[in-house]
Amino acid sequence: MDESQITRYLDRFGATRPAVPDADGLRALQLAHLTAVPFENLSIHLGEPISLERDALFDKVVGRRRGGFCYELNGLFAELLTALGYRVTLLAARVFHGSRPGPLFDHMALRVDLDEPWLVDVGFGDFADEPLRLDERAEQKDDGGVFQVVPAASGHGDLDIVHKGDQSYRLTARPYELEDFVPTAWWQATSPRSHFTRSPVCSMRTAEGRITISGRRLIHTVHGERTERVLQDAELLPAYLDRFGIALDRLPAAGA
């Protein structure tokens, strides 16, 4: 990522370039990203291809001011952090569905090594506002809830990320390259068994909580209080633009 791209990407989510690649700068970058770049799967329901090529990711998130799902958001954010001088490793994760973890590469998260290792994730939807300490085993309090990083029962150096008492995902210790996630990203975008193909969703952190369009439902969470209403067809495109800054020329395929 060159200097021009760094500037454009930081402008995309209203962040200031850290003077040095430190923990304070990392916290500021993550929170700014979460409150400006939505987690969304709209491309799947618009018939648009999902590409993890770096130029395609930059064009989508920065050029077209869109969001994406984990592989896209964390993949591009890793490029930015690396360009800013952070030491970043891509990690594969298994997302928990009840008490069982899903397949490897079900999710992508980032490890950033400073004086200690940090978990960075801007692609999991409702999650931590700030990076989590990977070597800390006590509870970590965050505006997004209480988190805990615990050794997984599977061993092998895997770590379970617990959020509000529930297992969110299991991180593997082995580093990967962005290209390693391509097959599972394709499956997530195309398989009828993938929850991403079932309904369009677009969600973003706000100063008061979270705003989401799930299918046709507009959901507001403000200081823990949730309200929702069903949008009519004529309301959907303006809602994507007004709430998320996403300009669409057609509606994504309808969901529940």
Side-chain angles (χ1 to χ4, degrees):
M1 188 174 291
D2 61 29
E3 286 297 322
S4 173
Q5 290 176 316
I6 292 172
T7 299
R8 289 179 61 196
Y9 193 4
L10 291 173
D11 287 347
R12 164 73 176 92
F13 62 98
T16 301
R17 182 173 185 155
V20 294
D22 60 10
D24 288 340
L26 189 62
R27 292 187 189 96
L29 290 169
Q30 176 166 316
L31 182 57
H33 201 285
L34 290 169
T35 55
V37 183
F39 176 90
E40 51 107 332
N41 67 351
L42 301 180
S43 288
I44 296 169
H45 300 274
L46 289 166
E48 299 172 349
I50 300 290
S51 173
L52 299 191
E53 294 293 330
R54 287 157 176 81
D55 288 345
L57 292 178
F58 188 87
D59 176 67
K60 180 178 182 179
V61 175
V62 180
R64 293 190 283 135
R65 303 188 70 81
R66 288 280 302 278
F69 58 178
C70 68
Y71 314 106
E72 299 170 292
L73 297 182
N74 282 327
L76 188 61
F77 196 49
E79 293 287 318
L80 174 67
L81 294 178
T82 299
L84 294 174
Y86 289 96
R87 290 188 295 142
V88 184
T89 302
L90 306 186
L91 299 180
R94 305 172 187 266
V95 178
F96 276 91
H97 306 279
S99 61
R100 300 184 62 180
L104 190 61
F105 301 112
D106 205 16
H107 179 59
M108 176 204 290
L110 309 177
R111 171 181 170 136
V112 176
D113 285 288
L114 296 167
D115 56 334
E116 60 182 309
W118 296 85
L119 171 63
V120 172
D121 198 336
V122 296
F124 198 64
D126 188 8
F127 198 64
D129 285 352
E130 298 185 354
L132 300 174
R133 288 180 163 88
L134 276 173
D135 282 350
E136 176 60 65
R137 299 294 172 256
E139 291 183 344
Q140 300 182 53
K141 294 183 179 179
D142 179 274
D143 285 347
V146 177
F147 293 82
Q148 195 167 10
V149 180
V150 298
S154 59
H156 313 297
D158 293 351
L159 297 171
D160 284 350
I161 310 303
V162 179
H163 180 204
K164 299 178 182 177
D166 294 323
Q167 291 166 302
S168 291
Y169 55 74
R170 177 167 293 169
L171 277 176
T172 59
R174 175 184 169 182
Y176 288 96
E177 300 296 328
L178 185 57
E179 292 76 13
D180 295 323
F181 294 87
V182 169
T184 307
W186 175 83
W187 184 91
Q188 296 281 23
T190 60
S191 172
R193 296 179 59 190
S194 165
H195 66 273
F196 288 112
T197 63
R198 296 173 189 171
S199 178
V201 65
C202 186
S203 184
M204 191 165 68
R205 183 75 164 94
T206 68
E208 298 82 19
R210 179 164 290 275
I211 187 164
T212 301
I213 297 177
S214 178
R216 299 181 181 277
R217 292 175 297 136
L218 176 64
I219 304 166
H220 277 105
T221 303
V222 178
H223 304 303
E225 296 294 324
R226 174 183 167 123
T227 60
E228 65 177 81
R229 71 181 182 92
V230 176
L231 298 175
Q232 302 302 311
D233 281 356
E235 297 178 288
L236 275 168
L237 292 184
Y240 283 122
L241 182 60
D242 294 343
R243 307 294 184 172
F244 304 101
I246 293 179
L248 300 178
D249 60 5
R250 64 190 187 281
L251 290 175

